[in-house]
Structures are given as structure tokens and as C-alpha cells.
Amino acid sequence: MAAPPQPPTADPRSGATGTAPGVVADPLESAARRTGLLGRPRWFTTLFGTDIWERFSFYGMTAILVLYATEDTDRGGLGMSTGDATLLHGLYMAAVFLASVPGGWIGDRVLGARRAVLHGGVLITAGHLSMAVPVTGSLYPGLLLIACGTGLLKPNMASLLSAFYDREDRAGRDAGFAVFYMSVQVSALLAPIVVGALGEGVNWHLGFGAAAVGMAAGLFQYVRGSRHFGDTGAAPERFATPAERTRVLRTGLAAVTLAVLVYGTDAALGTFRIAHLMALFGLLCVVAPVICFWRLLRNPLLTAVERVRVRTYIWLFLASAVFWALFLQGGSAFALFAKHATDREVFGRTVPASWFQAAVPLFVLVLAPLFASVWTRAGERVPTAVKYAVGMAATAAAYLVMASAATRAADGVRVSPLWLLLAFLLLAAGEVSFAPVGMSASTAIAPATFVSQMVALFWLAGALGGGIGGNALKVSGDRVPGPGYFLALGAAALVTGTALLVWRRSLTRRLGV
């Protein structure tokens, strides 16, 4: 398993010197920064510790969100229909990814990556605390706060991690991101078990409260360890001018005001539905990428080579949207299949449906070091497009497995949990092939002062995918997804993976990664 490289002593791109200009680094401090937990750099263990707790809160909350929303009101739930609950899940996921666009801009141009991560963590903690309050109305402001905080934290966390890598070390970057991605799966494994046991077994709001404790622990870890970052991420490389800040603030306030007026009126008339809000986010998921790519390509700071890379990246963006539309079904369609069509009896006890959400991180922990080793050994021989295609193939296989399971469950028979576990294993293989490689590629091709914004574009593909996936089950109209549903989505993955393989040489040449 490849360890991430040590912080560079001088990186004009990131400013990751660790000391002020003209000051000689203390050799004792330098040694301390190189010898963190398990021999890894202290900057890495700090980021790892923060992300592991943030992921605990994220995976814990999402493991019970749909189950809580569909639970009867007399049992503490919201009593939503399956379609509305999956729309809510898709809406939340889309909001998380959409928020990464302004979050990336704030990190790149206003706060710097380090402070952006801190402020994002505070918002996430506040959101989980809101959901822990046993009042039905507290769910929605809580989800909004978490979405805003995650949008601020995630792209800037990736930017901060990327700043410690040499820009040309592509194989090492891919392997390092894979190792980091593997590390945070530890909490993703534990979170559904802990939060699910508390939420399903005791009280839903107690489960949400456990997620809040996790994010608070992450904040403590981050504040305590940020002294090991040196100057990395302390400030933006290119501050936004006062005129730019004013323009962005006015545009944002105008958009929020308009949304509040429209949906406030909708609610006052008693006609509001989750689908109305999803329609807005669906529109934003389509429009926001177009605007972001257009503005980035028009920026005079980009060189001709960088413009070619960004234009070519659009194809990877679209492939990413397909992947996330399918992968995020694990928290909705797969969760409903686990609850209603899977035999969960083990030694006379019923396993909570939310516990199946721990399967993906468990399998990621097993697969990530293998994939990191393979990518390191392969080096430049396996380009990004091929790694994407591998992820798509694994995802398509997962949906074929689920189609077979749904066929067996068509008459109301509960099928063996091994079907679902095999599908989650294949989804995990897809995630390991796709997510860390995609994030790494985004930082590798990003123009020097736009790293967080490029990572935000990578997550914006998740917004588009989350919006599409959130509507898929609603359109099907099924309480539990059937074989046709899984076959159609599996076919979409197979077609996308095939296209990536066919055009791999052209994509590789134009991307340069």
C-alpha cells in the first residue's frame, strides 16, 4: 500500500513550504511533521482524522434518512410515501453536490482551503444537532445546514490534500487519494451500525444526535492538528476583489430571496410538495455545470492547453454524473430492497435494514489497497478513462445482480442477503475505481488557482447524478424496485463504460492525465 508523499519543501503552486519566506525550518518540527500516526505525515493524519469523523456523520445520517422518512408517524417517522422519500434523499444529495460549487469558490477566492474546511465542519455539526431535536420541522433546516457545510468542506478538503503532492506525480497522486479514500471508509463502516442501531432500535433523533457527536469530534481533530499544515491552504492564492465579492453576494441574495418568495407562497397556499423543490434542484443540476464550465473556459488566466483539458474534462464529468446516479441508489433503492425484499433474520433476530449500508465501506476497505497497488504498478499505462470504465463495468454488474435478486423476489419472497451483499461488493469496486481517481484527475488537470473549483465540478457531477437518481424510482412508481428498473440502470452503466473504452486514447491525449 503506497504511502502518500511527504509535504514538498517548496511548491510555488501551493505555497506548501511550512515556513515563512526566508526562514529556515526547524529540523525537529520537520521531523515531527513526517512522523505522524502509523508513520504517516502529521498533515495527512490530521486530514484523515477530520474526514473520518465527517464521513461518520454523513454515512450515519444517510443510512437512516429514507427509513425514517418512510416510517409511520405513530412509530416516530414522517409517514412519507416511498416516492417522496427517495425524492427527499435525491434532493439532499443534489443539494450537497450543488453546494460544492460556491463552496469551492469561497475556498479558492475568499477563505483559503484551511478555513473553508473549518467553517464547513461547524455548519455540518449545527445541522446534525438540528436533526437531533425531536421536532418534525427540524429535519429540513438540518438537511440544509449539512448540505451547505458539506459543500464547503469537501472540495476544499481535497484541495488541501492535493497541495501536498507534486503536480506531475500523477501515479502517486492517484494512489494517495485511493489510500485516503480507503482510510475514511473505517467510519463509513461503523456509522450505519452505530447510528442505525440507535435510530431504528431506540429513537430516530438519537441516531441523528450520534451523527452530530461524530462531526464535533472531527472539528476537534482538525483544530488540534492544523498546526502541522505550515502555510499550506492558509490563504487563497488569488483573492477575490471587493467588486467580485459584492457581485457574488448580491447575486446569491437575490436568488435566495426569489426562492423563499416562490416556495413560501407555495406553502402558504397549501400546494407545496417535495417534487416542487426537486424540480428547482433538477434545473440547477443541469444549468449550474453549464454556467461553471462556460465561466471557467472564458477566464483569461487559463492557457490554451488548460482550456483543452477543461473542455475534454466535460466528458469525464458526464460519465461521473451517470456513475453517481447509479451509486447513490445504494441509500434509496437498495435500502428499500433491503427492508422489504431481503431476509434479515439471523439467529432469530432481525438485522436492521440500515446495517446493509455498512457493506460498501467494508468492501472498500478490502478493495482500496488492492486498487491503489494496481494503479501504482500500472503507472501511466492505465489512463484515467480506463479506470473510469472499470468502475462503470463493476457498477453495471452490481445492477445485473440486483435484477436477478428482484426477479426472485417478484412474488413477495424475501431473498437471501447474499444477493444484496454481492451487489454492494461490486458497487464498492466501482466506487474505488471512480471516486478517488476522479477527484485526483480533477486536481491534476485543474489550472493552478482553480483547484477547489475543479473539485467542486467533480462533485457537481454528483448533483446531476443525484437529481436523476432521485427521480428514477419516483418515475417507476414501484414501492420496491423491480428487475426492469435494475436492468435499465445497469444498461446505462454498460453503455457509458463502453464509450469510455472506445474513446480512451483521444481522452487521454487531450487531458494529459
Side-chain angles (χ1 to χ4, degrees), residues 1-6 38-41 44 165 169 172 175-176 179 376:
M1 182 171 63
Q6 306 301 326
L38 301 177
R40 297 191 181 278
F44 183 87
Y165 290 82
D169 183 17
V179 171
T376 302

Side-chain angles (χ1 to χ4, degrees), residues 327-342:
F327 180 80
L328 293 175
Q329 298 283 315
S332 54
F334 283 44
L336 292 169
F337 190 88
K339 182 176 182 179
H340 298 291
T342 301

Side-chain angles (χ1 to χ4, degrees), residues 179-204:
V179 171
F180 188 84
Y181 207 78
M182 178 202 71
S183 300
V184 301
Q185 298 304 315
V186 174
S187 65
L189 168 63
L190 297 175
I193 296 174
V194 175
V195 176
L198 293 172
E200 285 191 79
V202 183
N203 181 276
W204 295 108

Side-chain angles (χ1 to χ4, degrees), residues 270-303:
T271 57
F272 176 78
R273 300 291 184 274
I274 288 289
H276 298 175
L277 197 57
M278 195 66 204
L280 172 64
F281 275 83
L283 178 63
L284 288 175
C285 288
V286 175
V287 172
V290 174
I291 294 176
C292 289
F293 276 113
W294 177 69
R295 288 181 61 85
L296 185 58
L297 289 168
R298 289 181 67 249
N299 197 298
L301 295 178
L302 267 66
T303 65

Side-chain angles (χ1 to χ4, degrees), residues 406-453:
T407 300
R408 291 174 177 265
D411 296 326
V413 177
R414 287 184 176 265
V415 301
S416 167
L418 294 179
W419 288 98
L420 201 55
L421 292 175
L422 177 57
F424 277 131
L425 172 63
L426 292 166
L427 273 187
E431 182 182 10
V432 172
S433 298
F434 222 100
V437 170
M439 195 182 301
S440 175
S442 300
T443 60
I445 71 169
T449 57
F450 297 91
V451 177
S452 291
Q453 292 176 67

Side-chain angles (χ1 to χ4, degrees), residues 76-293:
L78 296 181
M80 282 187 177
S81 67
T82 297
D84 282 345
T86 56
L87 270 180
L88 176 65
H89 182 269
L91 177 65
Y92 166 70
M93 289 296 184
V96 166
F97 292 129
L98 280 170
S100 67
V101 177
W105 186 86
I106 290 170
D108 275 344
R109 306 296 306 280
V110 181
L111 296 176
R114 189 188 304 182
R115 283 195 295 160
V117 169
L118 176 63
H119 294 339
V122 171
L123 288 175
I124 294 171
T125 305
H128 284 300
L129 287 173
S130 174
M131 295 178 68
V133 177
V135 177
T136 302
S138 66
L139 174 74
Y140 301 104
L143 289 176
L144 178 62
L145 285 170
I146 297 169
C148 292
T150 306
L152 191 58
L153 184 145
K154 292 306 291 183
N156 291 290
M157 177 72 79
S159 177
L160 200 53
L161 177 64
S162 174
F164 291 103
Y165 290 82
D166 185 87
R167 192 172 181 83
E168 299 303 319
D169 183 17
R170 293 167 186 165
R173 181 189 299 266
D174 279 0
F177 269 84
V179 171
F180 188 84
Y181 207 78
M182 178 202 71
S183 300
V184 301
Q185 298 304 315
V186 174
S187 65
L189 168 63
L190 297 175
I193 296 174
V194 175
V195 176
L198 293 172
E200 285 191 79
V202 183
N203 181 276
W204 295 108
H205 296 283
L206 185 61
F208 295 134
V213 172
M215 190 63 244
L219 274 177
F220 174 78
Q221 161 77 19
Y222 185 77
V223 172
R224 184 172 177 270
S226 60
R227 65 183 184 276
H228 301 297
F229 295 162
D231 294 332
T232 305
E237 293 187 34
R238 185 168 63 93
F239 277 99
T241 65
E244 288 176 319
R245 294 190 188 197
T246 300
R247 183 172 65 252
V248 170
L249 181 62
R250 286 177 177 172
T251 302
L253 287 176
V256 170
T257 301
L258 178 62
V260 169
L261 287 175
V262 170
Y263 287 103
T265 302
D266 194 13
L269 294 174
T271 57
F272 176 78
R273 300 291 184 274
I274 288 289
H276 298 175
L277 197 57
M278 195 66 204
L280 172 64
F281 275 83
L283 178 63
L284 288 175
C285 288
V286 175
V287 172
V290 174
I291 294 176
C292 289
F293 276 113

